[in-house]
Amino acid sequence: MPRQSTVAAQADKSVESPKDAAPLPETQTSDAAQQTPALELQSKSRWTIEDSEELYRINGWGEPYFSINAAGHVTVSPQGDRGGSLDLYELVNALKQRNLGLPLLIRFSDILEDRIERLNACFAKAIARYNYGGVYRGVFPTKCNQQRHLIEDLVRFGKPHQFGLEAGSKPELMIALATLDTPGSLLICNGYKDREYIETAALAQRLGHTPIIVIEQIEEVDLAIEAARKIGIKPILGVRAKLSAKGIGRWGTSAGDRAKFGLTVPEIIRAVEQLRAADMLDCLQLLHYHIGSQISAITVIKEAIREASQIYVELARLGANMNYLDVGGGLSVDYDGSKTNFYASKNYSMQNYANDVVAEVKEACEERKLPMPTLVSESGRAIASHQSVLVFDVLGTSDVLPNVPEPPDDKDPLVIRNLYETYQSINVENYQEAYHDATQFKEEAVSIFGFGYLSLTDRARAERLFWACCAKILEIVRQQDYVPDDLEDLEKIMASIYYINLSVFQSAPDSWAIDQLFPIMPIHRLDEEPTRRGTLADLTCDSDGKIDQFIDLRDVKYVLELHALKPKSNSEPQPPESQLPKTLSSQVAVSHSQSAHEPYYLGMFLNGAYQEIMGNLHNLFGDTNAIHIKLTPKGYQIEHVVKGDTMKEVLGYVQYDSEDLVENIRRRAEQALQENRITLAEAQLLLQNYEQSLSRYTYLSS
Ligand SMILES: *Cc1c(COP(=O)(O)O)cnc(C)c1O
C-alpha cells in the first residue's frame, strides 16, 4: 500500500502500542477475561481512556464529533466544537427502553448541518483568500443517501448557502424536484437520460428551479435539442468531460478515456458544433467532471482541476456561454485518521481542497481574461458519512482458550511427548523454530491418526498442545518489534470470534463488497483494557458475513482489540472455562451464551454515505431501526423514528403473503393435531410464535 515501507511500519507499530512494548506485572481485574491468562494482552498497571483513544484512533477519525468521556463511553458532539455533547452509551440504553432494539442506526442531524456549514465555510474562505470573482454553489449527490428525512434536512440546512441537489437518475430527479425549494440553488441533472428526463428537467425551470442538464453521452445532445424545440424552453446544459487525469484506488476508473460516463474531447467539440448548428450554443453553460470517490491524494485532485479549467476556458473561447464549473465528488473521508494517501484516508483537509479548486480556476480564467465561473461541487461522502453511527450488540464469542497442558508420561505417544517438549522449550530465542516444530508435530499427529495409530482422545490432546504452543509463541511475538512473515497469521488464527447482531450485507455492504474500512470500536468500557483480540462474524449464514479488517495507523490490522464479555451479575455463575466441553478441534469453546452476559455494544462510525441504499436483504435481514437525534439546550430530542423492517415486510419483498403463510402453518398444525402428532398446547404455542414473529424485527432481541 502506498504508505510507509514495511520496516518502518513494523517499527512504528511497536511504538504505537505501549502495551506491547513493556510487559508490566499483572494486576487485578475482576472480569471474566482473567480466566484465560495465556491469551490476554499484557496488563498495564492501569488502563485509561487515553489508552483507548490511542488504540481506536478516535481523535484521528472522530474529531470534532466523537470522543470518550471520563466514564469510558463514546460521546457525540453533533455540533462539533460549537455545542454540547451526549453520551452514546446512555442514548442507546434510553432508546432500548423505548423498545428500539439493536442494531440501531442513529443519525445526528446536527452533524449533517455542521458538515454543510464546514464545506461552505471552506469555499467562502478560499474565495476570500484568493479574491475569486465568483461564488460557490454546492449540491448534494442524492445517490449518496436518499432517505427522505436526510434529504429534507439537507435542503433545510443548506438554505443559507443556496445548497442544491444532484440527481443521477429519474427517481432521484423526482426526489430533487419535489424537495428542493431553495431559490437560487442548483439542480444538477446527471446520469443516463431519456426524452422524458430531459423534458421534465427543462420544464422545472418554470417552477423556479435552476436545473442544469449535464450531457453524459453524445446521443443526449440531440435529445436535448429536440426537447427544447418541442416544449419551447431553452434548457441550461452542461457537459461531463472524461478527463485524462485518473483517479486512484477503488474508483480510479471513473476517469480516463475508457470511463463509463462523459464525453471525450472530440465528442465535446462535436457537441459544441451540434448545439451551434441548432442555435443553442448559449445553452451550454457548465463543465462537469467526476473522477471518482474517495480521492485520497491531493495531487490527483489538483491535476484534475487543472485539466478541467483548461477545457472550461476553451469552451468559452468556442462561444459557449460558460458560467459554471462543477468539480464533482471525490472529497475524501479520513476513515482511519492517518492523514495519508492510503485508500481509507486522505492527505489533505477540506480547506486544502477548496483552496486548490479556487486557485486553479482563478488562474486559468485570469490568463484568458474570462469572468470566473460559479464553482459547484458534488460532495456526498464528505457531507453524509459522519452523521450516522451504527450501534450493534455482541451475542457471544468463540474463543481460543488453551489451558496449561498436563505433562505426558512415558506411555503417551511420542508425538504427544514431542509437542509437550516443544511447549516447554518455547522462549524468546527459539519461538520461530518452536512454531515450525509444533506445526510439524501437529500435522504428524493428524497423519498418524489417519493410519489408525492414534486414538481420538490423543489426537485431541495433540491439538490442544499445539494451541497451547501457539498461545505461548503469540505472547512472545506480541512483544517483538519485528514479526517474521510466517508468524504474521498467528494473531488471526488465535483471534476470538465476536458474533454480532447485524448483517454486514444490509448495514455495511461496502465492507463486504470492496473491503472498505470503517472505524469500529466499543462504545463503553473504554476505561478498561480490552484484553481480547477478535474478528466480527455477522448473523447471516454466509462465510463472507464478517469483518476481519480494521483501521490502523499503517495499513490495516486483522484483529480488533475488544473486551471479554462480562457474565451477567444476577445470573448463574459461568462454569470455569476449563470445564467447558472441548470439541475435537479442541481449541474452540463458545464461552458465553446469548443471555448470560452483560450487553456489549460496538459502534461502526462514518457509515452515513452509500451503505444504507446499497445494503441488501441477504438471509432476509431487513433495514435496521433508524433514529434521528437532535441536540436541544436541555439534552436531545428524537426527531424521527424510522422502524426497521419487520419479517412480514421482508417476506413481502420476496412475494410471500403473511396471511397465506400463517394459514399454511395453521392447516398443517391442524392436521398434526388430528393425527395426534402435536398437542393442542404445542400447536397454540407454535402458531402464536409464528404470528408474532411476522410483525417483529428481523434481528435478534436481547
Ligand atoms: C457518486 C458521485 C458523486 C459523489 O461523490 P463523493 O465522492 O461521494 O463525494 C458526485 N458526482 C457524481 C457524478 C457521482 O457519480
Side-chain angles (χ1 to χ4, degrees):
M1 292 294 113
R3 295 207 279 187
Q4 306 281 315
S5 74
T6 31
V7 179
Q10 301 287 9
D12 260 58
K13 256 178 201 168
S14 67
V15 175
E16 202 215 339
S17 314
K19 61 196 175 295
D20 284 352
L24 289 158
E26 290 258 332
T27 46
Q28 94 342 281
T29 29
S30 55
D31 67 343
Q34 294 307 310
Q35 293 167 7
T36 56
L39 275 184
E40 305 308 332
L41 310 192
Q42 292 293 323
S43 256
K44 258 190 48 151
S45 54
R46 169 121 176 75
W47 187 262
T48 63
I49 58 166
E50 286 77 23
D51 294 320
S52 284
E53 274 172 5
E54 191 177 325
L55 177 62
Y56 298 112
R57 312 195 40 70
I58 188 169
N59 295 339
W61 54 260
E63 274 192 323
Y65 308 113
F66 304 103
S67 50
I68 302 175
N69 66 13
H73 301 167
V74 169
T75 60
V76 189
S77 309
Q79 295 158 336
D81 346 302
R82 296 177 292 124
S85 66
L86 55 89
D87 184 317
L88 185 58
Y89 176 69
E90 312 245 296
L91 174 65
V92 169
N93 282 332
L95 292 170
K96 274 181 83 176
Q97 275 163 17
R98 292 176 166 89
N99 273 334
L100 293 164
L102 299 175
L104 270 175
L105 186 75
I106 309 178
R107 295 210 187 92
F108 296 95
S109 46
D110 301 282
I111 295 187
L112 189 66
E113 182 170 14
D114 193 71
R115 298 305 292 172
I116 297 173
E117 289 296 325
R118 264 165 213 268
L119 183 61
N120 281 282
C122 287
F123 271 97
K125 210 163 159 187
I127 283 169
R129 171 169 169 191
Y130 293 99
N131 202 10
Y132 184 80
V135 294
Y136 170 70
R137 288 280 172 273
V139 294
F140 178 75
T142 314
K143 77 153 189 271
C144 209
N145 195 325
Q146 303 96 335
Q147 306 292 326
R148 175 166 67 89
H149 298 300
L150 185 127
I151 296 288
E152 286 174 356
D153 278 352
L154 253 158
V155 168
R156 187 155 47 90
F157 298 145
K159 285 217 157 92
H161 309 287
Q162 291 174 298
F163 210 68
L165 290 174
E166 181 261 10
S169 65
K170 284 210 289 187
E172 288 180 358
L173 178 68
M174 306 290 114
I175 294 175
L177 283 178
T179 315
L180 190 62
D181 60 355
T182 309
S185 65
L186 302 178
L187 200 173
I188 304 285
C189 305
N190 286 334
Y192 290 110
K193 297 169 204 74
D194 58 10
R195 190 185 47 79
E196 193 180 59
Y197 182 139
I198 292 177
E199 271 180 28
T200 312
L203 281 164
Q205 281 185 40
R206 296 281 195 247
L207 301 179
H209 281 298
T210 312
I212 303 182
I213 299 166
V214 180
I215 307 285
E216 306 234 22
Q217 306 283 316
I218 190 73
E219 295 75 23
E220 290 170 10
V221 180
D222 280 336
L223 282 179
I225 293 171
E226 279 165 34
R229 289 213 177 107
K230 181 178 157 203
I231 60 177
I233 297 175
K234 277 202 159 183
I236 310 173
L237 298 179
V239 280
R240 173 164 176 176
K242 277 183 186 169
L243 298 188
S244 47
K246 278 199 181 50
I248 50 168
R250 186 68 60 187
W251 294 273
T253 52
S254 304
D257 293 339
R258 303 305 302 157
K260 182 168 150 190
F261 288 110
L263 307 187
T264 59
V265 170
E267 284 173 329
I268 293 176
I269 299 295
R270 216 171 104 201
V272 166
E273 293 316 324
Q274 276 173 278
L275 288 171
R276 196 196 305 279
D279 198 20
M280 278 175 61
L281 194 51
D282 57 334
C283 295
L284 181 56
Q285 300 188 14
L286 174 141
L287 175 71
H288 168 56
Y289 68 89
H290 172 71
I291 57 168
S293 201
Q294 186 67 11
I295 307 293
S296 50
I298 190 74
T299 47
V300 176
I301 284 173
K302 273 193 194 176
E303 209 182 309
I305 184 68
R306 200 166 291 161
E307 184 181 353
S309 301
Q310 290 311 318
I311 300 179
Y312 178 89
V313 296
E314 286 294 315
L315 281 170
R317 210 176 55 88
L318 287 169
N321 183 21
M322 299 307 282
N323 266 323
Y324 303 95
L325 205 166
D326 174 356
V327 301
L331 178 55
S332 285
V333 165
D334 195 356
Y335 293 98
D336 69 6
S338 67
K339 299 190 169 61
T340 60
N341 66 356
F342 189 55
Y343 65 86
S345 187
K346 63 183 166 94
N347 65 1
Y348 57 93
S349 68
M350 199 185 254
Q351 190 64 58
N352 296 152
Y353 173 84
N355 288 350
D356 282 346
V357 169
V358 168
E360 290 291 342
V361 178
K362 174 173 164 148
E363 193 184 318
C365 290
E366 261 181 357
E367 251 167 43
R368 306 289 186 103
K369 306 217 164 16
L370 283 173
M372 289 168 212
T374 292
L375 294 171
V376 183
S377 78
E378 306 175 345
S379 286
R381 192 181 291 278
I383 293 280
S385 291
H386 299 72
Q387 49 84 34
S388 79
V389 181
L390 182 70
V391 179
F392 49 96
D393 49 334
V394 172
L395 300 166
T397 64
S398 167
D399 304 298
V400 180
L401 301 171
N403 25 24
V404 179
E406 279 161 34
D409 56 43
D410 292 347
K411 294 192 287 305
D412 282 319
L414 182 62
V415 69
I416 300 259
R417 282 180 280 142
N418 283 339
L419 271 165
Y420 187 77
E421 203 174 297
T422 307
Y423 172 80
Q424 290 288 56
S425 75
I426 296 166
N427 62 38
V428 187
E429 260 77 58
N430 74 353
Y431 68 95
Q432 189 174 8
E433 186 193 343
Y435 180 65
H436 296 150
D437 288 350
T439 308
Q440 201 197 325
F441 289 135
K442 191 199 77 173
E443 278 161 16
E444 203 179 304
V446 173
S447 153
I448 304 173
F449 175 76
F451 288 113
Y453 295 121
L454 196 69
S455 73
L456 193 60
T457 319
D458 280 337
R459 178 175 159 179
R461 263 179 92 193
E463 290 192 20
R464 278 207 300 275
L465 273 162
F466 171 71
W467 290 110
C469 292
C470 289
K472 207 165 162 188
I473 294 164
L474 183 58
E475 258 192 296
I476 298 173
V477 165
R478 282 180 181 163
Q479 289 161 33
Q480 308 306 310
D481 291 345
Y482 169 75
V483 183
D485 279 355
D486 42 357
L487 291 177
E488 262 187 353
D489 280 346
L490 204 51
E491 193 78 76
K492 267 196 270 186
I493 300 170
M494 302 293 285
S496 296
I497 301 171
Y498 278 65
Y499 297 99
I500 55 174
N501 192 16
L502 188 77
S503 160
V504 167
F505 304 93
Q506 175 63 255
S507 294
D510 279 348
S511 147
W512 155 65
I514 57 173
D515 290 333
Q516 190 180 328
L517 298 171
F518 296 100
I520 297 173
M521 65 182 284
I523 64 164
H524 59 137
R525 298 179 64 183
L526 295 166
D527 51 353
E528 268 175 59
E529 183 173 2
T531 51
R532 299 276 169 102
R533 296 187 186 194
T535 59
L536 309 180
D538 81 355
L539 281 181
T540 65
C541 307
D542 188 319
S543 48
D544 278 348
K546 62 174 195 285
I547 301 176
D548 56 5
Q549 289 194 28
F550 305 94
I551 62 158
D552 201 4
L553 181 59
R554 310 243 178 266
D555 296 320
V556 299
K557 59 185 179 191
Y558 298 102
V559 291
L560 182 66
E561 291 81 355
L562 293 164
H563 299 88
L565 298 182
K566 271 187 197 161
K568 219 173 207 156
S569 38
N570 57 1
S571 68
E572 291 289 296
Q574 290 282 298
E577 273 156 350
S578 57
Q579 284 170 26
L580 287 169
K582 294 284 185 283
T583 57
L584 177 59
S585 60
S586 84
Q587 82 281 19
V588 177
V590 179
S591 56
H592 300 278
S593 70
Q594 194 188 322
S595 56
H597 64 83
E598 296 282 340
Y600 187 51
Y601 302 145
L602 301 180
M604 183 188 288
F605 296 82
L606 311 187
N607 62 344
Y610 300 111
Q611 303 316 294
E612 281 173 71
I613 208 64
M614 306 268 272
N616 62 55
L617 291 173
H618 196 13
N619 260 156
L620 299 185
F621 288 107
D623 273 345
T624 63
N625 290 326
I627 320 293
H628 291 243
I629 300 289
K630 184 159 183 62
L631 227 58
T632 63
K634 276 192 252 131
Y636 63 86
Q637 165 201 339
I638 301 177
E639 286 188 302
H640 310 285
V641 172
V642 185
K643 279 281 214 171
D645 288 320
T646 61
M647 288 183 222
K648 187 172 165 174
E649 282 165 324
V650 294
L651 290 168
Y653 297 147
V654 282
Q655 291 87 44
Y656 290 95
D657 182 288
S658 301
E659 281 170 30
D660 289 352
L661 295 177
V662 173
E663 182 55 20
N664 188 322
I665 296 297
R666 198 195 53 74
R667 242 186 285 121
R668 293 181 68 158
E670 196 61 43
Q671 194 175 352
L673 204 55
Q674 303 278 318
E675 295 165 11
N676 285 328
R677 285 185 279 122
I678 198 171
T679 67
L680 187 59
E682 285 168 347
Q684 275 171 340
L685 183 64
L686 175 63
L687 267 170
Q688 186 190 328
N689 280 347
Y690 193 95
E691 280 188 89
Q692 276 173 0
S693 291
L694 285 169
S695 54
R696 293 248 160 88
Y697 205 19
T698 54
Y699 296 89
L700 302 189
S701 51
S702 52

mmCIF file of all heavy atoms in Angstrom, residues 34 42 53 63 95 109 217 231 237 244 273 328 368 384 407 414 514 532 558 629 644:
data_model
loop_
_atom_site.group_PDB
_atom_site.id
_atom_site.type_symbol
_atom_site.label_atom_id
_atom_site.label_comp_id
_atom_site.label_asym_id
_atom_site.label_seq_id
_atom_site.Cartn_x
_atom_site.Cartn_y
_atom_site.Cartn_z
ATOM 1 N N GLN A 34 -9.845 -12.565 32.948
ATOM 2 C CA GLN A 34 -8.669 -13.058 33.635
ATOM 3 C C GLN A 34 -8.585 -14.579 33.700
ATOM 4 O O GLN A 34 -7.589 -15.123 34.100
ATOM 5 C CB GLN A 34 -8.624 -12.459 35.043
ATOM 6 C CG GLN A 34 -8.421 -10.951 35.011
ATOM 7 C CD GLN A 34 -7.218 -10.538 34.187
ATOM 8 O OE1 GLN A 34 -6.138 -11.059 34.360
ATOM 9 N NE2 GLN A 34 -7.393 -9.629 33.240
ATOM 10 N N GLN A 42 -0.864 -8.235 27.684
ATOM 11 C CA GLN A 42 -0.195 -7.922 28.937
ATOM 12 C C GLN A 42 -0.923 -6.778 29.623
ATOM 13 O O GLN A 42 -1.175 -5.743 29.023
ATOM 14 C CB GLN A 42 1.248 -7.497 28.629
ATOM 15 C CG GLN A 42 2.099 -8.629 28.105
ATOM 16 C CD GLN A 42 2.330 -9.694 29.149
ATOM 17 O OE1 GLN A 42 2.484 -9.387 30.323
ATOM 18 N NE2 GLN A 42 2.334 -10.950 28.726
ATOM 19 N N GLU A 53 -8.282 5.965 23.482
ATOM 20 C CA GLU A 53 -8.260 6.969 22.407
ATOM 21 C C GLU A 53 -7.186 6.635 21.386
ATOM 22 O O GLU A 53 -7.405 6.682 20.178
ATOM 23 C CB GLU A 53 -7.951 8.357 22.981
ATOM 24 C CG GLU A 53 -9.151 9.096 23.488
ATOM 25 C CD GLU A 53 -8.759 10.381 24.221
ATOM 26 O OE1 GLU A 53 -7.553 10.738 24.245
ATOM 27 O OE2 GLU A 53 -9.648 11.014 24.769
ATOM 28 N N GLU A 63 -12.694 13.456 15.254
ATOM 29 C CA GLU A 63 -12.781 14.871 15.583
ATOM 30 C C GLU A 63 -13.590 15.619 14.554
ATOM 31 O O GLU A 63 -13.485 15.329 13.381
ATOM 32 C CB GLU A 63 -11.365 15.466 15.660
ATOM 33 C CG GLU A 63 -10.796 15.270 17.036
ATOM 34 C CD GLU A 63 -9.525 16.076 17.262
ATOM 35 O OE1 GLU A 63 -8.711 16.215 16.329
ATOM 36 O OE2 GLU A 63 -9.370 16.549 18.378
ATOM 37 N N LEU A 95 -32.827 4.483 24.289
ATOM 38 C CA LEU A 95 -33.601 4.062 23.120
ATOM 39 C C LEU A 95 -34.107 2.629 23.302
ATOM 40 O O LEU A 95 -35.229 2.301 22.921
ATOM 41 C CB LEU A 95 -32.757 4.178 21.848
ATOM 42 C CG LEU A 95 -32.400 5.611 21.430
ATOM 43 C CD1 LEU A 95 -31.368 5.613 20.308
ATOM 44 C CD2 LEU A 95 -33.642 6.389 21.005
ATOM 45 N N SER A 109 -28.656 14.882 13.153
ATOM 46 C CA SER A 109 -28.885 15.893 12.115
ATOM 47 C C SER A 109 -27.963 17.100 12.313
ATOM 48 O O SER A 109 -27.605 17.765 11.350
ATOM 49 C CB SER A 109 -30.352 16.308 12.080
ATOM 50 O OG SER A 109 -30.824 16.557 13.372
ATOM 51 N N GLN A 217 -23.633 11.567 -22.492
ATOM 52 C CA GLN A 217 -23.461 10.711 -23.661
ATOM 53 C C GLN A 217 -23.741 11.594 -24.869
ATOM 54 O O GLN A 217 -24.669 12.397 -24.831
ATOM 55 C CB GLN A 217 -24.498 9.572 -23.655
ATOM 56 C CG GLN A 217 -24.535 8.757 -22.396
ATOM 57 C CD GLN A 217 -23.385 7.783 -22.312
ATOM 58 O OE1 GLN A 217 -23.058 7.127 -23.296
ATOM 59 N NE2 GLN A 217 -22.760 7.721 -21.170
ATOM 60 N N ILE A 231 -40.861 21.700 -26.377
ATOM 61 C CA ILE A 231 -41.534 22.415 -25.290
ATOM 62 C C ILE A 231 -41.264 23.918 -25.319
ATOM 63 O O ILE A 231 -41.845 24.666 -24.547
ATOM 64 C CB ILE A 231 -41.162 21.839 -23.895
ATOM 65 C CG1 ILE A 231 -39.655 21.932 -23.639
ATOM 66 C CG2 ILE A 231 -41.628 20.405 -23.749
ATOM 67 C CD1 ILE A 231 -39.250 21.448 -22.273
ATOM 68 N N LEU A 237 -27.575 23.738 -20.218
ATOM 69 C CA LEU A 237 -26.889 22.477 -20.459
ATOM 70 C C LEU A 237 -25.475 22.502 -19.897
ATOM 71 O O LEU A 237 -24.847 23.550 -19.761
ATOM 72 C CB LEU A 237 -26.823 22.183 -21.965
ATOM 73 C CG LEU A 237 -28.147 22.019 -22.695
ATOM 74 C CD1 LEU A 237 -27.896 21.767 -24.184
ATOM 75 C CD2 LEU A 237 -28.964 20.872 -22.105
ATOM 76 N N SER A 244 -8.314 13.115 -18.605
ATOM 77 C CA SER A 244 -7.301 12.061 -18.640
ATOM 78 C C SER A 244 -6.617 11.923 -17.291
ATOM 79 O O SER A 244 -5.998 10.910 -17.010
ATOM 80 C CB SER A 244 -6.303 12.268 -19.763
ATOM 81 O OG SER A 244 -5.883 13.587 -19.761
ATOM 82 N N GLU A 273 -20.487 21.789 -31.802
ATOM 83 C CA GLU A 273 -20.908 22.053 -33.192
ATOM 84 C C GLU A 273 -22.395 21.781 -33.373
ATOM 85 O O GLU A 273 -23.100 22.541 -34.039
ATOM 86 C CB GLU A 273 -20.078 21.210 -34.168
ATOM 87 C CG GLU A 273 -18.598 21.590 -34.224
ATOM 88 C CD GLU A 273 -18.368 23.109 -34.269
ATOM 89 O OE1 GLU A 273 -19.160 23.847 -34.908
ATOM 90 O OE2 GLU A 273 -17.402 23.570 -33.611
ATOM 91 N N GLY A 328 -17.552 17.911 -9.375
ATOM 92 C CA GLY A 328 -17.992 16.570 -8.987
ATOM 93 C C GLY A 328 -17.706 16.247 -7.535
ATOM 94 O O GLY A 328 -17.597 17.135 -6.683
ATOM 95 N N ARG A 368 -6.881 33.995 -19.444
ATOM 96 C CA ARG A 368 -7.667 34.255 -20.661
ATOM 97 C C ARG A 368 -8.587 35.457 -20.506
ATOM 98 O O ARG A 368 -9.462 35.660 -21.336
ATOM 99 C CB ARG A 368 -8.522 33.025 -21.010
ATOM 100 C CG ARG A 368 -7.752 31.745 -21.124
ATOM 101 C CD ARG A 368 -6.894 31.751 -22.371
ATOM 102 N NE ARG A 368 -6.283 30.442 -22.528
ATOM 103 C CZ ARG A 368 -6.712 29.527 -23.404
ATOM 104 N NH1 ARG A 368 -7.735 29.776 -24.168
ATOM 105 N NH2 ARG A 368 -6.105 28.376 -23.494
ATOM 106 N N ALA A 384 -22.139 13.333 4.088
ATOM 107 C CA ALA A 384 -23.091 12.407 4.723
ATOM 108 C C ALA A 384 -22.474 11.349 5.627
ATOM 109 O O ALA A 384 -23.184 10.723 6.407
ATOM 110 C CB ALA A 384 -23.928 11.722 3.638
ATOM 111 N N PRO A 407 1.651 -32.544 31.839
ATOM 112 C CA PRO A 407 2.803 -33.262 31.268
ATOM 113 C C PRO A 407 2.431 -34.702 30.913
ATOM 114 O O PRO A 407 1.680 -35.347 31.658
ATOM 115 C CB PRO A 407 3.843 -33.228 32.384
ATOM 116 C CG PRO A 407 3.161 -32.722 33.600
ATOM 117 C CD PRO A 407 1.872 -32.122 33.229
ATOM 118 N N LEU A 414 4.687 -40.786 21.204
ATOM 119 C CA LEU A 414 5.861 -39.938 21.017
ATOM 120 C C LEU A 414 5.465 -38.528 20.577
ATOM 121 O O LEU A 414 6.021 -37.528 21.044
ATOM 122 C CB LEU A 414 6.795 -40.584 19.978
ATOM 123 C CG LEU A 414 8.085 -39.827 19.705
ATOM 124 C CD1 LEU A 414 8.943 -39.722 20.966
ATOM 125 C CD2 LEU A 414 8.876 -40.494 18.574
ATOM 126 N N ILE A 514 -16.230 -4.285 -1.163
ATOM 127 C CA ILE A 514 -14.998 -3.651 -1.648
ATOM 128 C C ILE A 514 -13.990 -3.434 -0.535
ATOM 129 O O ILE A 514 -13.115 -2.582 -0.636
ATOM 130 C CB ILE A 514 -15.311 -2.315 -2.374
ATOM 131 C CG1 ILE A 514 -16.073 -1.367 -1.460
ATOM 132 C CG2 ILE A 514 -16.097 -2.558 -3.658
ATOM 133 C CD1 ILE A 514 -16.269 0.019 -2.062
ATOM 134 N N ARG A 532 -8.970 -8.863 24.830
ATOM 135 C CA ARG A 532 -9.101 -9.865 23.778
ATOM 136 C C ARG A 532 -8.813 -9.237 22.422
ATOM 137 O O ARG A 532 -8.915 -8.033 22.260
ATOM 138 C CB ARG A 532 -10.536 -10.424 23.754
ATOM 139 C CG ARG A 532 -10.953 -11.105 25.034
ATOM 140 C CD ARG A 532 -10.482 -12.532 25.046
ATOM 141 N NE ARG A 532 -10.650 -13.117 26.362
ATOM 142 C CZ ARG A 532 -11.628 -13.942 26.695
ATOM 143 N NH1 ARG A 532 -12.538 -14.272 25.805
ATOM 144 N NH2 ARG A 532 -11.688 -14.454 27.902
ATOM 145 N N TYR A 558 -5.753 -6.990 11.351
ATOM 146 C CA TYR A 558 -6.673 -8.086 11.069
ATOM 147 C C TYR A 558 -7.438 -8.552 12.295
ATOM 148 O O TYR A 558 -8.288 -9.436 12.190
ATOM 149 C CB TYR A 558 -5.902 -9.243 10.419
ATOM 150 C CG TYR A 558 -5.299 -8.812 9.105
ATOM 151 C CD1 TYR A 558 -3.958 -8.493 8.992
ATOM 152 C CD2 TYR A 558 -6.122 -8.659 7.982
ATOM 153 C CE1 TYR A 558 -3.417 -8.056 7.791
ATOM 154 C CE2 TYR A 558 -5.599 -8.219 6.780
ATOM 155 C CZ TYR A 558 -4.245 -7.919 6.695
ATOM 156 O OH TYR A 558 -3.735 -7.473 5.509
ATOM 157 N N ILE A 629 -31.635 12.055 15.835
ATOM 158 C CA ILE A 629 -31.452 12.735 17.119
ATOM 159 C C ILE A 629 -31.002 14.171 16.865
ATOM 160 O O ILE A 629 -30.133 14.419 16.035
ATOM 161 C CB ILE A 629 -30.351 12.023 17.943
ATOM 162 C CG1 ILE A 629 -30.730 10.577 18.224
ATOM 163 C CG2 ILE A 629 -30.044 12.786 19.224
ATOM 164 C CD1 ILE A 629 -31.841 10.403 19.216
ATOM 165 N N GLY A 644 -37.261 -0.309 11.612
ATOM 166 C CA GLY A 644 -36.674 -1.240 10.656
ATOM 167 C C GLY A 644 -37.730 -2.189 10.109
ATOM 168 O O GLY A 644 -38.868 -2.223 10.581
#
